[in-house]
């Protein structure tokens, strides 16, 4: 099955077994082609990976050059098998793509925290400043004032 977490820039490989359609008929690579579709919440961010035969199922590969262009975050996938007159979703779900950490030359800054973690840490900083007697503090374009 598709890995639930991987890093952009890695070569990603996974295999799926043959399945069944809605009539409980076999869905194998003898009659069907299978494609994994991955989508991200940004225009143009998508991948379509055609599976190759592996036993009676399929093997999928996202090459390093392709995964290196994937944005970090949650990607959604649908794995569809198709033959003339029958199209069936075998698997669907989501994967987390982590940022690629490789670099050339001098590395820039990297903050591996999620946006929620960054927001939480900013709020904790404000609360500590208020606790230390600060009367006013700003986060982004918002200003917070202490009222006694």
């Amino acid at each position: 099955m598709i890995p639930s977490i991987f890093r952009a820039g890695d070569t990603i490989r996974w295999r799926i077994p043959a399945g069944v359609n809605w009539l409980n008929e076999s869905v194998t690579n003898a009659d069907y082609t299978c494609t994994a579709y991955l989508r991200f919440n940004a225009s143009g961010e998508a991948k379509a990976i055609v599976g190759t035969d592996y036993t009676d199922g399929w093997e999928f590969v996202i090459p390093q050059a392709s995964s290196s262009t994937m944005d970090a975050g949650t990607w959604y996938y649908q794995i569809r098998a198709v033959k003339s007159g029958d199209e069936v979703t075998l698997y669907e779900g989501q994967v987390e793509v982590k940022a690629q950490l490789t670099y050339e030359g001098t590395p820039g800054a990297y903050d591996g925290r999620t946006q929620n973690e960054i927001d939480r840490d900013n709020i904790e900083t404000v609360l500590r400043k208020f606790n230390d007697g600060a009367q006013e503090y700003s986060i982004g374009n918002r200003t917070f004032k202490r009222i006694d």
Side-chain angles (χ1 to χ4, degrees), residues 95-117:
V95 297
E96 179 186 348
V97 176
K98 293 187 164 213
Q100 181 171 305
L101 299 180
T102 59
Y103 63 91
E104 293 182 16
T106 303
Y110 174 75
D111 188 343
R113 298 175 296 169
T114 66
Q115 187 61 51
N116 286 342
E117 290 169 332

Side-chain angles (χ1 to χ4, degrees), residues 34-98:
C34 196
T35 304
Y37 297 95
L38 288 91
R39 303 276 303 271
F40 187 71
N41 189 19
S43 181
E45 288 289 335
K47 303 284 180 196
I49 302 98
V50 177
T52 58
D53 293 355
Y54 181 80
T55 62
D56 61 350
W58 298 269
E59 179 177 74
F60 299 87
V61 178
I62 305 174
Q64 176 277 332
S66 183
S67 80
S68 68
T69 65
M70 296 175 78
D71 289 339
T74 302
W75 285 68
Y76 297 89
Y77 70 88
Q78 178 183 18
I79 301 177
R80 281 181 71 74
V82 176
K83 77 170 183 177
S84 180
D86 193 22
E87 298 186 20
V88 61
T89 297
L90 297 176
Y91 298 97
E92 61 184 324
Q94 62 188 44
V95 297
E96 179 186 348
V97 176
K98 293 187 164 213

Side-chain angles (χ1 to χ4, degrees), residues 12-29:
I12 314 304
R13 299 176 189 273
W14 74 95
R15 296 175 180 148
I16 64 168
V20 294
N21 65 14
W22 293 104
L23 297 175
N24 208 32
E25 299 167 333
S26 291
V27 175
T28 70
N29 60 30

Side-chain angles (χ1 to χ4, degrees), residues 129-137 143-148:
K129 293 213 180 256
F130 278 153
N131 196 37
D132 291 342
Q135 298 300 310
E136 184 175 300
Y137 191 80
T143 300
F144 302 92
K145 293 184 180 186
R146 181 179 183 149
I147 300 175
D148 291 323

